[in-house]
Amino acid sequence: MSSYGELELKVIRWAEARKIIPNGTPMAQAAKTIEEVGELVAAINAGDINAMRDAYGDILVTLIIGSDLANISLLEALEAAYEEIKDRKGTLTPEGIFVKEAV
């Protein structure tokens, strides 16, 4: 299995070969991400694990390309997001609501 870094580079090279990079825009990739999220929701509702796997992968592809077009490292963005949430405390209720622990 490839590492994340290897796969990210393959996706970027694929997008370059198809002129998505540099001719695409972060906004166009954001729109594509939203389309793929819709496909994920449909797959979850259908209980279709193969379609879910495909949609999660497609979402990652659009995020990798969009972040590259914006000159943002997706891995650095993920690390920054983790640093922001790592000390949050709370729990998710059965209704799906995250309740933050009082500080």
Side-chain angles (χ1 to χ4, degrees):
M1 180 174 277
S2 300
S3 72
Y4 172 81
E6 291 168 335
L7 287 171
E8 182 182 48
L9 186 57
K10 286 179 181 181
V11 167
I12 291 168
R13 296 296 174 249
W14 174 89
E16 289 171 340
R18 283 147 188 85
K19 305 296 185 209
I20 300 167
I21 299 170
N23 296 332
T25 65
M27 184 59 75
Q29 285 303 301
K32 187 66 177 165
T33 300
I34 291 168
E35 177 186 329
E36 298 298 347
V37 169
E39 292 179 15
L40 174 61
V41 169
I44 291 169
N45 281 332
D48 185 338
I49 191 74
N50 290 325
M52 288 170 58
R53 185 177 295 111
D54 180 67
Y56 279 118
D58 289 346
I59 290 165
L60 284 170
V61 166
T62 63
L63 292 174
I64 289 167
I65 295 169
S67 67
D68 190 78
L69 286 165
N71 294 316
I72 295 170
S73 162
L74 195 56
L75 196 54
E76 288 174 7
L78 176 59
E79 186 173 30
Y82 175 74
E83 287 299 317
E84 188 175 316
I85 67 167
K86 71 179 182 177
D87 296 322
R88 288 185 188 164
K89 295 187 178 11
T91 57
L92 189 69
T93 68
E95 296 79 26
I97 299 168
F98 187 80
V99 179
K100 290 183 184 179
E101 192 175 283
V103 181

